[in-house]
Amino acid sequence: MAYLAFTDVLGAAIPTLSSSPAADRPSARFSALEWSVVALAERDSLSTLHAPGRVAVALGTLFGSRPNPQLADSKLEALRKIAVLTWHQGYHIAESAIRSFLSAGFTHDHYALLASSITSARARRDRRISR
């Protein structure tokens, strides 16, 4: 699995963004529903990004299965997946994950907004825990 830094993935887009005035480009925004998906993704583990394996299915049969956190809306599910990855890994996300996020209808600006919001929330959480 290949991983790229955020700047590596957006390297080609950065010069075009900085050369145009801020008034010319629309700012990325998330709806209240999308922000709630991002907030709920903080509690999801990385294992929720994949289908359960045979052992997990067997344990679920024995001890009761956990609810499936995957969302029915494909766009919201793409947002949930990238948010889970960002909550756990920060800016170090696989290029394929970012591409699937972009192909769901989001933009590079959406990812920048999401990543900066999550990293600042992680920093606040870490400061609270260390007190």
Side-chain angles (χ1 to χ4, degrees):
M1 182 181 274
Y3 291 92
L4 294 175
F6 177 67
T7 54
D8 293 343
V9 174
L10 298 180
I14 290 174
T16 59
L17 292 178
S18 63
S19 64
S20 64
D24 290 346
R25 69 170 187 251
S27 61
R29 293 186 178 170
F30 290 116
S31 68
L33 175 63
E34 291 168 334
W35 278 120
S36 66
V37 168
V38 172
L40 290 173
E42 180 180 10
R43 296 184 210 139
D44 291 346
S45 67
L46 290 173
S47 65
T48 63
L49 301 178
H50 308 288
R54 294 185 324 185
V55 173
V57 171
L59 290 174
T61 303
L62 289 174
F63 300 108
S65 61
R66 295 184 340 207
N68 183 355
Q70 293 182 351
L71 303 173
D73 183 15
S74 61
K75 185 172 182 178
L76 291 177
E77 179 60 15
L79 176 63
R80 184 189 76 84
K81 285 181 176 183
I82 202 79
V84 168
L85 288 169
T86 306
W87 278 111
H88 288 279
Q89 300 172 348
Y91 285 104
H92 301 288
I93 296 180
E95 183 180 356
S96 61
I98 295 174
R99 283 187 187 146
S100 66
F101 177 71
L102 297 174
S103 67
F106 293 103
T107 64
H108 293 289
D109 289 341
H110 281 109
Y111 178 68
L113 175 64
L114 171 81
S116 65
S117 174
I118 288 176
T119 53
S120 64
R122 285 175 62 189
R124 284 192 305 270
R125 180 184 65 192
D126 292 345
R127 279 194 303 266
R128 271 194 322 262
I129 291 172
S130 65
R131 287 184 190 176

